Amino acid sequence: MRFTFETSSDGVREQLFTLGEIPGVLWTPDGATGPRPLVLMGHGGGQHKKAPGIVARARRFVVECGFAVVAVDVPGHGDRPKDPEYDRIATANQARVAAGAELAPLIARFQALVARQTVPEWRAVLDAVQDLDRVGAGPVGYWGVSLGCGLGVPFVAAEPRVRAAVLGLGGALASAEVAARVTVPVEFLLQWDDERVPRGQGLALFDAFGSAEKTLHANPGGHGKVPAFEVDSNVRFFARHLG
């Protein structure tokens, strides 16, 4: 793990790093020492590790909860090089949609393919970050919606260190079978008028989670219109389950 840039503001230390070919960013309380909970955040499609929504939530988790937060660019996003195979599939999917194909099944198949790469990458990132004295081997949470949900469900199912997850804007076509293996507490965000993920698919994914504790937060509006007040609930959720 190699740190490449560091800055600090309003009590939050931000460090850019690379782990092999994976570019990432770590936020911790300024001057932090000793172990603490860690939240891994998965960004949305077409976004990157420092998308405004990611940064805003990360800073709140650090300032209000004292957590560490880490985010990385998924393949083909941010500072990662374009992947010819993923680009080819995305272009083919756009052509299929233009010809009248349903979008949701195409997204589901693409996310399942990318998750085969991101799940082991994210586990390696957790290993490296938890080796740092100011983070340590504390409890882990996961936050991710849209693409971050499609990639996050298989990650949460595979990673026993994750104790709680905020997920949403995803559907059962991509993740239902894997979701049954998710047993940690889940807070699930659903937009009632989502134009990318049919409402029934979102409800089916929520139903598929094997968690004894899961909460559905449904709000009116389209795919990118999650109300800002849901961040308050995310903070309380992680504070309750990660300590």
Side-chain angles (χ1 to χ4, degrees):
M1 188 177 203
R2 183 172 68 89
F3 289 100
T4 58
F5 181 77
E6 178 176 328
T7 186
S8 179
S9 64
D10 300 322
V12 180
R13 181 186 188 186
E14 177 183 291
Q15 296 174 287
L16 297 179
F17 67 85
T18 57
L19 181 65
E21 298 179 352
I22 309 168
V25 56
L26 173 66
W27 295 272
T28 52
D30 206 8
T33 58
R36 67 197 59 254
L38 169 68
V39 175
L40 173 66
M41 300 189 70
H43 63 73
Q47 298 184 359
H48 54 83
K49 62 186 178 296
K50 288 192 65 179
I54 295 290
V55 174
R57 288 170 175 80
R59 294 184 69 89
R60 287 197 60 179
F61 295 151
V62 172
V63 172
E64 298 180 33
C65 303
F67 294 169
V69 181
V70 65
V72 301
D73 290 328
V74 304
H77 291 69
D79 294 324
R80 297 186 76 147
K82 295 297 182 182
D83 187 297
E85 178 63 11
Y86 292 160
D87 282 352
R88 183 192 65 77
I89 295 172
T91 300
N93 284 347
Q94 290 171 1
R96 292 189 182 102
V97 171
E102 288 188 41
L103 178 62
L106 300 175
I107 291 175
R109 286 195 290 270
F110 183 70
Q111 289 180 352
L113 175 65
V114 179
R116 297 174 190 170
Q117 179 175 349
T118 55
V119 169
E121 286 186 350
W122 290 356
R123 299 183 82 173
V125 168
L126 280 189
D127 290 342
V129 171
Q130 289 195 316
D131 275 343
L132 301 172
D133 290 340
R134 61 187 175 279
V135 179
V140 175
Y142 178 80
W143 184 98
V145 299
S146 194
L147 176 64
C149 178
L151 304 181
V153 171
F155 170 71
V156 174
E159 179 48 68
R161 285 173 288 187
V162 174
R163 296 191 186 178
V166 175
L167 299 159
L169 310 186
L173 283 176
S175 309
E177 183 177 347
V178 179
R181 303 201 299 269
V182 173
T183 58
V184 300
V186 170
E187 187 166 277
F188 190 77
L189 305 177
L190 182 142
Q191 287 302 100
W192 205 247
D193 309 296
D194 196 322
E195 70 282 4
R196 293 178 62 84
V197 181
R199 183 188 307 162
Q201 287 294 319
L203 292 171
L205 177 57
F206 174 76
D207 189 52
F209 288 121
S211 308
E213 179 182 337
K214 54 183 178 180
T215 306
L216 176 67
H217 289 213
N219 292 284
H223 189 76
K225 303 298 183 181
V226 176
F229 60 73
E230 289 292 357
V231 182
D232 300 332
S233 182
N234 298 167
V235 171
R236 292 192 298 268
F237 174 81
F238 282 131
R240 184 167 68 251
H241 291 291
L242 303 184

